[in-house]
Amino acid sequence: MILPVATLGPDGVDLEGEDPVEAFDWTDSPREVVRPAGPLRWKLHAELFGRELVVTGRAEAPFEGTCCRCGGPLSRTWGDAVSLSRELPEEGVSEVDLTSDLRETILLALPSNPVCADDCPGLCPRCGKRRADGPCGCADETEPNAFGALDALFGGPTHEQHTPPEPKKKPRTTTTDKKRR
Ligand SMILES: [Zn+2]
């Protein structure tokens, strides 16, 4: 993102646009679970205060990769607010390259464990299937149980609640007092 300083009027300037995905200068590594999948988009307001350039707004980009929770494909947009300032030299500046600043803003917004959706249901702990793909057939506590249906029919609990007995409190074993004096 090249900001033409010359266009900055007394009220600053509003800018909106995008840089191609190559702006990320991304090198795939086996450690990375996501990679940029489209242009780096920005919507900014730039203003000059004396020689100080102040830029605010937002930058974001689409990413794709593998969900850290379910192992399925991931396709999401991540970004963050932009707020930066830069002292410009007295003369000879017609434009300022903000590409690396915007790139940093976006990369810092990437979660350390990216998931395909914030509410990704993950994997079934019993069979290991992705829950997002549909029911796996394993019973789990979220399925309605037969007693629940009977309760609904007869308007009250029809069965004894089998709660495990309270564990008996063990008498405290006296340990050697190792407190520092
Ligand atoms: Zn997922």
Side-chain angles (χ1 to χ4, degrees):
M1 192 271 159
I2 309 288
L3 177 69
V5 179
T7 64
L8 288 176
D11 298 325
V13 64
D14 289 314
L15 300 146
E16 192 174 351
E18 59 182 47
D19 287 327
V21 64
E22 287 75 26
F24 277 102
D25 202 13
W26 192 267
T27 37
D28 263 324
S29 98
R31 282 190 311 116
E32 309 287 353
V33 287
V34 294
R35 64 195 157 277
L40 189 167
R41 294 189 290 260
W42 35 266
K43 193 172 181 180
L44 304 169
H45 178 79
E47 213 166 334
L48 262 182
F49 297 94
R51 299 310 305 163
E52 192 186 9
L53 172 69
V54 177
V55 181
T56 53
R58 190 177 165 82
E60 61 180 34
F63 285 81
E64 62 186 24
T66 307
C67 174
C68 284
R69 198 178 294 162
C70 70
L74 173 159
S75 177
R76 296 184 71 172
T77 294
W78 276 295
D80 206 353
V82 173
S83 178
L84 55 100
S85 67
R86 190 171 294 175
E87 190 79 22
L88 301 183
E90 283 292 324
E91 281 170 43
V93 179
S94 57
E95 54 185 34
V96 174
D97 189 350
L98 297 175
T99 310
S100 61
D101 301 87
L102 301 184
R103 185 173 56 215
E104 280 303 301
T105 298
I106 295 173
L107 294 183
L108 286 172
L110 284 180
S112 48
N113 293 304
V115 288
C116 62
D118 289 337
D119 59 352
C120 165
L123 302 173
C124 170
R126 298 190 190 185
C127 70
K129 273 192 180 174
R130 289 178 67 222
R131 284 175 160 161
D133 291 339
C136 55
C138 299
D140 69 21
E141 61 272 23
T142 60
E143 283 179 15
N145 65 49
F147 289 121
L150 287 174
D151 287 354
L153 268 179
F154 296 105
T158 56
H159 65 288
E160 294 271 321
Q161 283 276 322
H162 290 288
T163 44
E166 285 273 305
K168 279 177 190 159
K169 275 180 187 163
K170 282 182 192 164
R172 268 178 196 276
T173 46
T174 337
T175 50
T176 337
D177 193 0
K178 282 179 183 168
K179 272 183 194 163
R180 282 179 202 156
R181 280 156 216 262

